[in-house]
Amino acid sequence: MATAAVVVSALHRVHDPGTLCPLRALTGVPCPLCGGTTVFIELGAAHPVKALLASPAVLLGAIGLATAPLGAGRRWWALDPRIRAWIIGVTLGLSWVWQLARFGFLPL
């Protein structure tokens, strides 16, 4: 993941592809996972705070995936499916509010 982040960051400096989110490209409204690419670009450029501000949910999800083999994955799957669904739903809802505020759709 770290190697991919550094490579994506270097490629982004040379060629900025613009908006990758289809919802945002078509409507101008960000999705709950907007900023996901930016997270990896900022991590690859050694800017962890900017990565966190771009999308806390994506950053935490990436950390969760990276640490899953160390035992976090077992704990996640041991949770009741309704609790997992609730956690995912609340996280996506909060992430969307964050993105709407970040892009100026909601005042802070």
Side-chain angles (χ1 to χ4, degrees), residues 10-108:
L11 288 173
H12 191 269
R13 277 190 224 123
V14 176
H15 176 71
D16 182 358
T19 301
L20 299 176
C21 176
L23 179 67
R24 187 168 153 224
L26 292 172
T27 66
V29 177
C31 74
L33 299 177
C34 269
T37 305
T38 305
V39 166
F40 293 101
I41 290 168
E42 295 297 350
L43 284 176
H47 300 130
V49 173
K50 288 182 180 180
L52 179 65
L53 293 175
S55 184
V58 171
L59 181 59
L60 293 175
I63 291 169
L65 284 173
T67 60
L70 303 174
R74 267 185 265 122
R75 280 182 243 130
W76 172 255
W77 291 111
L79 292 173
D80 182 87
R82 289 173 294 189
I83 293 173
R84 286 195 312 260
W86 184 84
I87 291 170
I88 291 170
V90 169
T91 300
L92 287 175
L94 291 173
S95 181
W96 202 5
V97 169
W98 177 266
Q99 295 305 329
L100 290 171
R102 187 182 125 187
F103 284 97
F105 288 92
L106 295 176
L108 287 180

